[in-house]
Amino acid sequence: MQGMQPDDLYELTAVGEVRVSPDGRTIAFAVTSFDRDANDYRSRIWVTGADGGQEPRPLTEGERRENHPRWSPDGAQVAYACRAETPERSQLCVVPAGGGGALVLAELPEDVEDLAWSPGGDRLAFVTRVRDERRYSKEKPKDQPPRRIDRLVVRVDSVGWTMDRPRHLFVVEANGSAPPRALTEGEWDDAALAWSPAGYELAFTSARHGSWDCDLARDIFVVAAAGGEPRRVTETGPEYAAVTWSADGSMLAFAVDPEPLNAPRHARIGVVATDGTGTRLLTAGLDRHAFPYPPGRGPLWVGDDLYFRVEDGGNVHLCRVATDGARAPEQLVGGERQIGDFDHAGGTLAFSATGPTHLAELFVVADGEERRLTDVGRAFRQGRSLMEPQAFTAVSHDGTEVPAWIMRPAPSAPGQRHPVLLVIHGGPFTQYGARFFDEFQVFAGAGYAVLYANPRGSSGYSEAWGRAIRGPKAAEPGSGWGGVDYEDLMAVVDDALRRFDDLDGERMGVLGGSYGGYMTTWIAAHTSRFRAACSERACNNLLTMSYTSDYGPFMSGYLGVTHLEDAAEYLRQSPMTYVKNISTPMLILHSEDDLRCPIEQAEQLYVALKLLGREVEFVRFPGESHELSRSGAPAHRVERFRIILDWFDRHLKVGD
C-alpha cells in the first residue's frame, strides 16, 4: 500500500465543533470535507446517540459550509450558521432535532462567528462583522471612498480590513418573527458572547479603551439583552478571551494572557465576580498553556469546576479545576493525542480528538467509560499506508533535552537509506505532536524520513521553555530568535543521524512556514549541511516586518525593544542580514494576501539571492493568506504539495 499522495488531500474528513443535548443523550457535531469540483470546503451538521447504539445521521443538507451547532435549552431544536447560496452571504438557521426543513432566521453579509441560545429558548445571540455599506455597496474598488486611517490595527490576516468591518453582538427571535437587533456598535471589535443564566444580560470581550490598538489589552464587558451601554467588568491590561457564565450568575470564567506585550506567556484560566471583584487565576501553578492554538472553546462550567484544554508535551489534554481554588488542576482526558472541541451536559462529556494517523473523530465519556462514536475518516484510511511517528530525545549543545519525532516512509528494502526532511513549526509559541499532519504523511508517502521537534521557544512545556528565545535586551532575556532554537534543531538532526542508520545525512532538506520559514532561512544562512531548503511565508527581515505586518508592531514583546528604539537589534536577529552566506538552493513559497508575514518578506529574499547568483525559485499563490497550508483553496494546497515535492525530489533524490 502506498502512503498519502498530494491528491489524497481531497479525501480528508474531520469532526469539528461538538455539542451535547441538554439531557446528555444526543450529540450534534460538524463534519468538514473537501469539494474538489468547487475548489472549496463543505461542512455538515450530524447527530448521534451518546450511548453509541445508533449510527450517526446527517441533520442538515450539507451543501454549504455549516457550523456552530447549538442545542436549544429544551433539546427540541438545533441552531447553526451556514453560507447561503450566494457566497457573499451567510444564514442563521434553526432545524428540528429530529430532522426536517430549516427555518432561516437571518441573512447576513458576513459570517456568523459565534452563536448562543438564550436560557429561555426564545432568542439567539450571535457575533458577526458589520460592514460600512458606504464602501462595500460599491462593487468596484475605484468607486469606493478612500479609507481615513487613525489607528494602528486596521487589518488582520485571513480577515482583511477590520476598521470598517468591526464585529458586534446581535440578538434575533428564535421563531424568525423579527430581524436581528444590534446590541453593540461603534469601532470596537466584540467577541466571545455568553448569556447570563437569567437571560437579561450577555457577557463578551472587547477592547474599548483609548489605546486598544497599541497594547493588545482586551476586557470583559456585560451588556443588557435589551441593549444599552456595555459595562466593563475587568481592569484593563491583560487580554481576556472565551468568557462563560456560572450557573448562579455570580461569576464569569475566562482564559487570559496576563501580559500580551510580554510574549510569550501561558494563557491562564480564571474567574471574576460579575461586579468586577475577586479576580482569581486558577491555573497559575500549572505551568502549561491553557488556551491552545488554534483558539477554541473557553472554560466550561460543570458544577463548581471548569473544564479546559491544556497543551502538554505535544499533546492537548482536557483538564478541570475547582473554581474556588480548593483543588489544583487535574487531568480528565489524556493520552497521546490532541483534543479539539468539547462539551458536557446531562452527565455526558463529548470531545473530538486527533492522532498521528487519524483526523479528528467524536468521542464520548459516560459513566466513566470512553467510546469512539464516529469513523468519518474510514474511507481515507482504507487503501493507504499511514505512518506512525517514533519519539526520541535529542541533547542540545548545553545539555538541554529536546523532544523530537521521526516519521519514516513505508517499509523499505534492507540497507536502504532515506533522504531526510527537517520540518520546523511556526509560532514560535506553538507545538508539534500527537495529531494528524497531512504534510508529514505526504512527505513520508513520497519516500522521505521526516524529522520534527519542539525546540526551545515552543509551547506545550514550561513557560521558561517558551520564553527561552526572548531577545537578550528583554526583561527575563533569552537567546533571541536564531539562538538556542537553532542549536536545538541542529542537535535533533545530529542525534537522529546517530540513532537511525537508515537516514542519509548526505541528502537532507529543511523547510518550514512562518517562524518555521524564518528558521529555514536562518539555517541556510548559518550552515551548508542541507542540500535544499524551502522557506515558506517566512519573516526574513524583522525590521521591515515591524512596519508592514498586522502583528509587526508588537514584535517588541519578544525582542524587548521596539524597532524604533533599536533597529540594529531587529537586523541582528533577521536572516536577511546574513543572506550573503546562503549557498543552499532555496525554494520560496508565499501567499500574495499574507498580512502576517507580508509578501515583501519573500521578495527581499528572492531578489537578494538572485543578485548573488544563487539557485532560487519563487512561487506566489494569488488570493491566499498566511493560512494557505491549513485553510487555503484545496487546489492551491494540492499544488503546494506538488511544488515542494518536485523541489526536494530534484535535489535529494538524484541518483536514487
Side-chain angles (χ1 to χ4, degrees), residues 482-503:
V484 295
D485 45 357
Y486 170 76
E487 299 289 350
D488 289 355
L489 289 167
M490 293 303 97
V492 167
V493 173
D494 293 337
D495 197 281
L497 294 178
R498 284 194 298 268
R499 286 172 179 261
F500 310 117
D501 57 11
D502 58 340
L503 304 185

Side-chain angles (χ1 to χ4, degrees), residues 35 126 136 138 158 234 344 374 406 418 431 440 516:
D35 186 331
F126 62 95
Y136 291 98
K138 308 293 185 182
S158 300
T234 50
H344 183 282
T374 63
I406 180 172
H418 308 295
Q431 65 166 1
F440 297 169

Side-chain angles (χ1 to χ4, degrees), residues 401-418:
E401 294 185 343
V402 183
W405 295 264
I406 180 172
M407 183 178 287
R408 290 184 175 83
S412 54
Q416 182 178 357
R417 302 178 75 204
H418 308 295

Side-chain angles (χ1 to χ4, degrees), residues 554-610:
F554 308 109
M555 286 294 297
S556 59
Y558 263 100
L559 275 71
V561 290
T562 71
H563 57 289
L564 299 176
E565 294 168 334
D566 195 342
E569 180 67 2
Y570 282 68
L571 291 174
R572 185 190 67 79
Q573 295 185 56
S574 295
M576 283 302 299
T577 300
Y578 314 97
V579 70
K580 290 182 180 179
N581 299 332
I582 296 178
S583 59
T584 305
M586 181 72 71
L587 172 65
I588 303 170
L589 302 183
H590 220 100
S591 297
E592 293 187 341
D593 292 346
D594 191 333
L595 299 179
R596 186 60 40 86
C597 297
I599 199 167
E600 57 91 7
Q601 295 287 301
E603 292 167 337
Q604 288 188 49
L605 181 60
Y606 176 72
V607 169
L609 292 176
K610 286 299 289 185

Side-chain angles (χ1 to χ4, degrees), residues 297-553:
R297 183 162 201 176
L300 175 67
W301 292 85
V302 180
D304 293 327
D305 291 340
L306 290 174
Y307 287 16
F308 60 98
R309 297 186 304 146
V310 171
E311 291 183 338
D312 188 22
N315 301 307
V316 176
H317 295 150
L318 190 62
C319 295
R320 69 180 175 187
V321 66
T323 54
D324 61 3
R327 299 193 316 276
E330 59 182 349
Q331 182 176 291
L332 277 172
V333 181
E336 292 294 317
R337 55 184 171 179
Q338 293 193 3
I339 292 174
D341 200 37
F342 66 97
D343 195 26
H344 183 282
T348 298
L349 171 64
F351 59 91
S352 65
T354 176
T357 59
H358 67 85
L359 275 83
E361 298 284 358
L362 176 64
F363 295 80
V364 66
V365 178
D367 300 322
E369 178 186 355
E370 179 179 320
R371 294 189 297 272
R372 181 172 58 81
L373 298 182
T374 63
D375 195 7
V376 300
R378 180 193 308 153
F380 167 73
R381 295 193 307 275
Q382 289 178 342
R384 294 179 181 85
S385 180
L386 299 177
M387 301 296 105
E388 289 276 2
Q390 177 183 347
F392 68 98
T393 301
V395 179
S396 195
H397 73 295
D398 60 358
T400 299
E401 294 185 343
V402 183
W405 295 264
I406 180 172
M407 183 178 287
R408 290 184 175 83
S412 54
Q416 182 178 357
R417 302 178 75 204
H418 308 295
V420 180
L421 293 179
L422 172 66
V423 189
I424 308 168
H425 69 61
F429 196 60
T430 56
Q431 65 166 1
Y432 276 152
R435 61 165 297 167
F436 184 88
F437 282 96
D438 53 14
E439 301 190 19
F440 297 169
Q441 294 293 344
V442 166
F443 298 154
Y448 293 95
V450 182
L451 289 178
Y452 54 104
N454 287 330
R456 277 171 282 187
S458 304
S459 61
Y461 305 86
S462 70
E463 194 171 78
W465 186 269
R467 290 170 68 82
I469 61 170
R470 284 169 55 78
K473 297 187 177 183
E476 300 179 50
S479 70
W481 290 17
V484 295
D485 45 357
Y486 170 76
E487 299 289 350
D488 289 355
L489 289 167
M490 293 303 97
V492 167
V493 173
D494 293 337
D495 197 281
L497 294 178
R498 284 194 298 268
R499 286 172 179 261
F500 310 117
D501 57 11
D502 58 340
L503 304 185
D504 189 343
E506 299 300 316
R507 294 188 296 159
M508 296 196 301
V510 58
L511 70 159
S514 194
Y515 162 80
Y518 166 98
M519 281 305 306
T520 297
T521 311
W522 183 273
I523 286 170
H526 288 78
T527 180
S528 58
R529 68 186 303 180
F530 294 92
R531 191 179 287 186
C534 173
S535 179
E536 183 175 10
R537 63 184 187 278
C539 36
N540 293 311
N541 187 328
L542 301 185
L543 180 60
T544 61
M545 197 181 87
S546 296
Y547 290 102
T548 60
S549 165
D550 64 348
Y551 181 78

